[in-house]
Amino acid sequence: MTAALIEANGLVKHYGEFVAVDDISFAIQEGECFGVLGPNGAGKTTTIRMITGTSPVTQGHLRVAGLDVAVEPRRVKAVLGVVPQDDNLDPDLLVRQNLEVYARYFGLGRETVRQRIDEALELFHLDDRAQSNVDELSGGMQRRLTIARALVNAPKVLILDEPTTGLDPQARHLVWQQLRLLKSRGVTMLLTTHYMEEATHLCDRLVIMNRGKILIEGRPHDLIAKVAGPQVLELRLPLSERDELIAEFVHGDDITVEQVGDLTYVYGGGEASSMAAERVGDPHRAHLRPGNMEDVFLLLTGRGLLD
């Protein structure tokens, strides 16, 4: 295991009497993409604010690249590249000027800035728009520019707070492609996202948070196997037919049956699920599919809206 670039131990954040982050610990290793998932209000963005030094830690210890965030917040910010949830580009500046102004905060030499901006714009397919006004860019282009800007200081850790929210599938897959390329070059990433496919696709490891606590940690496919199982049976059947079919399962600790409206989910059914799907013989009424991260997320955090 390589050195941890971010280490959190017993991390707590209070806003008055409200506990936004409640005694969490994790370590992000150099070169990995680490995901933080959770419903709205789970504490994800608050955790990021503590890591970036924009919100003080109430309790616990937090180190980034060997630096104590509480003691050396300016040095911590210098080694981070941050992509916020919302684009905060300057509409009065051209595309390239947005990156040049950002680079000034890091005291970089002119030639270094020129080279890094060229590389970042090319990486995100924006080099032909360098002299465009920001408001002439599509939403997807603006998002890619925000990510490109975060690379100008050659950060040790790239923090991505819901980087593809609002993007169409083509733009999202382009961002995924470029993030994979950055990871192959050794860039360490912390990713928050509401897209479970994105988390599975990009993350080496992840945690799922809820109400300020970490519920589970591990590699995406390990979590799927552990929580949801390799296959999930979805049933759209009348109650009597559904109950008759499920009664034939050998129920135990490994089988979970969840009713959501007119849809029944059976987790951990194994061969019995396969036989049930074959018996019904209609994939619209009995569909056997692979388990996924969305199953894990919903089983752990529930299906109710929290805000």
Side-chain angles (χ1 to χ4, degrees), residues 21-305:
V21 174
D22 189 4
D23 191 20
I24 67 172
S25 299
F26 60 88
I28 301 176
Q29 305 299 321
E30 184 175 356
E32 77 172 338
C33 181
F34 186 88
V36 180
L37 310 183
N40 291 333
K44 307 184 301 297
T45 297
T46 299
T47 300
I48 284 179
R49 288 174 178 162
M50 287 189 284
I51 291 172
T52 58
T54 57
S55 184
V57 174
T58 302
Q59 184 179 321
H61 301 282
L62 181 59
R63 300 182 69 83
V64 176
L67 304 169
D68 189 323
V69 174
V71 177
E72 300 179 278
R74 291 178 64 87
R75 290 184 64 191
V76 168
K77 291 178 182 179
V79 301
L80 298 177
V82 181
V83 179
Q85 283 186 19
D86 300 314
D87 296 328
N88 55 358
L89 302 164
D90 191 330
D92 296 324
L93 299 177
L94 302 179
V95 166
R96 189 177 189 91
Q97 289 173 335
N98 264 272
L99 304 189
E100 290 171 342
V101 169
Y102 182 78
R104 292 177 188 170
Y105 293 111
F106 300 96
L108 303 172
R110 185 180 302 243
E111 181 57 28
T112 298
V113 169
R114 184 197 64 76
Q115 181 179 346
R116 288 184 182 174
I117 289 176
D118 287 345
E119 291 175 352
L121 290 176
E122 182 180 0
L123 180 66
F124 284 95
H125 297 190
L126 293 168
D127 42 327
D128 61 339
R129 305 302 297 269
Q131 299 305 314
S132 298
N133 292 316
V134 168
D135 57 11
E136 295 175 356
L137 303 181
S138 67
M141 287 181 177
Q142 291 188 25
R143 198 64 182 147
R144 280 148 50 195
L145 179 59
T146 303
I147 301 174
R149 184 185 61 183
L151 299 176
V152 169
N153 62 314
K156 289 186 177 180
V157 182
L158 182 61
I159 294 180
L160 302 143
D161 196 2
E162 301 182 19
T164 63
T165 296
L167 298 187
D168 61 38
Q170 290 87 349
R172 183 177 300 126
H173 279 266
L174 174 61
V175 170
W176 290 358
Q177 176 185 338
Q178 303 315 97
L179 292 179
R180 288 198 310 271
L181 178 60
L182 289 171
K183 183 175 175 296
S184 73
R185 296 177 178 177
V187 177
T188 304
M189 300 180 199
L190 187 158
L191 170 74
T192 76
T193 180
H194 287 299
Y195 295 116
M196 298 299 107
E197 182 187 4
E198 181 166 280
T200 306
H201 194 76
L202 294 176
C203 295
D204 298 295
R205 292 186 302 124
L206 58 83
V207 296
I208 296 178
M209 294 183 65
N210 195 28
R211 303 185 185 276
K213 291 185 175 292
I214 290 177
L215 303 181
I216 199 166
E217 176 179 344
R219 298 186 299 180
H221 290 289
D222 291 344
L223 297 181
I224 292 169
K226 177 181 179 181
V227 177
Q231 291 183 313
V232 177
L233 179 63
E234 297 181 358
L235 299 173
R236 290 181 175 84
L237 299 172
L239 290 180
S240 58
E241 187 177 351
R242 182 207 65 183
D243 291 344
E244 180 182 350
L245 193 67
I246 292 179
E248 298 181 5
F249 284 68
V250 179
H251 292 279
D253 294 337
D254 294 333
I255 294 181
T256 300
V257 178
E258 184 181 27
Q259 187 67 37
V260 183
D262 65 343
L263 186 60
T264 303
Y265 296 92
V266 180
Y267 304 96
E271 184 62 28
S273 289
S274 299
M275 294 174 62
E278 290 178 6
R279 176 178 167 182
V280 174
D282 182 352
H284 296 289
R285 302 174 71 234
H287 175 50
L288 189 65
R289 61 165 174 81
N292 56 46
M293 273 306 304
E294 188 162 309
D295 296 318
V296 176
F297 185 90
L298 292 172
L299 282 168
L300 292 176
T301 65
R303 296 178 182 269
L305 297 177

